[in-house]
Amino acid sequence: MPRRTVLADGTYDLIKAMILEHDIAPGEHLGIDELARDLSVSQTPVRESLARLEADGLVTKIPLRGYETTRLLSVQQFDDLFQFRGVIEPWAAAEASRRSTRREIEALEAELERAEHISRTGTSSTYTEFVEHDTRFHTLVARASGNPLVEEAFIRTRCHMHLFRVHKASFSNAESGSGEGEFVQDMFQEYYRDGERPLALNEHIEITVAIRGGDGNSASELMRSHIDSSRRRFIPAIEALHA
């Protein structure tokens, strides 16, 4: 692989991590010179990385000003996002029950097994790992539907990336003594950590059993309930963060 590509990819990964971890705050101006200096690279990989991050929805190009990080989604935008998922993902789960291959079922089961070993410590890394698991699981279900456009549509929602940013913002607020930040953390903890097995993982297991058994109606209804459960839990948390 050419060194320039490696350098550009590394720069992209670093800036993306800085945005997701809130080292660069939502709505903050991104200076190309400053980023290049901080990362010890030239301006070229920084410019290329910012263009990729704009496509990811993490930065916005402002005429005559350069780039700034996108702000957290509004409550209405999150609600719209969950409504969209409530339409497309139950359909994908039903199709997956009819069209998935053995390899795709094995991939789903391997992902569930991987999630069983995520620590229940309640630290920031715990939630990060579960959000990453959530992303992989829902992507695998969309892929198993056999419709590449559905998989692409789900990926383009970047739902879990937005949830991750909300979660990270809550830590910043909690550290500053904000009750809203603590409330958001509690919502994530209830869904991703509480109990012998996290609620989210239990729901993923039920969906996978229905898909593996070829029960399209159950797969669809379980996925619809799962999306609605997420919506009911996270929308109040997002409202608290925006209060």
Side-chain angles (χ1 to χ4, degrees), residues 24-72:
I24 302 175
E28 184 174 331
H29 175 71
L30 295 166
I32 292 175
D33 289 343
E34 183 180 354
L35 282 170
R37 186 166 55 252
D38 290 345
L39 300 176
S40 300
V41 296
S42 69
Q43 292 186 4
T44 299
V46 172
R47 291 183 187 278
E48 292 174 352
S49 297
L50 291 176
R52 289 175 64 185
L53 290 165
E54 182 180 19
D56 289 340
L58 285 174
V59 306
T60 302
K61 191 171 186 178
I62 309 298
L64 305 179
R65 291 186 52 197
Y67 291 91
E68 67 177 33
T69 53
T70 55
R71 300 183 184 278
L72 299 180

Side-chain angles (χ1 to χ4, degrees), residues 171-178:
F171 269 86
S172 299
N173 284 15
E175 288 173 359
S176 65
S178 165

Side-chain angles (χ1 to χ4, degrees), residues 70-199:
T70 55
R71 300 183 184 278
L72 299 180
L73 292 190
S74 69
V75 175
Q76 183 61 58
Q77 287 172 321
F78 265 104
D79 198 40
D80 291 344
L81 183 56
F82 276 106
Q83 288 186 38
F84 173 77
R85 293 183 66 196
V87 172
I88 192 171
E89 293 196 63
W91 180 91
E95 287 299 299
S97 74
R98 292 186 277 267
R99 303 178 62 179
S100 58
T101 64
R102 175 188 286 185
R103 179 174 295 182
E104 287 166 339
I105 294 296
E106 289 175 347
L108 281 168
E109 292 175 336
E111 180 55 43
L112 296 176
E113 177 64 23
R114 181 178 182 179
E116 291 278 17
H117 294 92
I118 296 176
S119 166
R120 307 287 193 266
T121 59
T123 63
S124 178
S125 62
T126 294
Y127 307 122
T128 299
E129 289 183 76
F130 263 109
V131 170
E132 290 171 350
H133 155 68
D134 224 7
T135 306
R136 291 190 298 267
F137 175 80
H138 286 274
T139 302
L140 287 170
V141 172
R143 184 173 303 156
S145 75
N147 188 323
L149 292 178
V150 169
E151 180 184 358
E152 180 182 350
F154 169 73
I155 291 171
R156 287 176 66 84
T157 67
R158 302 182 181 87
C159 179
H160 295 88
M161 179 187 74
H162 293 304
L163 284 173
F164 183 82
R165 294 184 76 196
V166 165
H167 173 245
K168 285 296 180 179
S170 74
F171 269 86
S172 299
N173 284 15
E175 288 173 359
S176 65
S178 165
E180 289 83 1
E182 293 175 358
F183 176 74
V184 177
Q185 287 187 50
D186 287 344
M187 291 296 98
F188 275 83
Q189 177 174 315
E190 181 180 356
Y191 199 52
Y192 288 128
R193 185 175 71 87
D194 277 4
E196 182 178 344
R197 179 183 283 145
L199 177 58

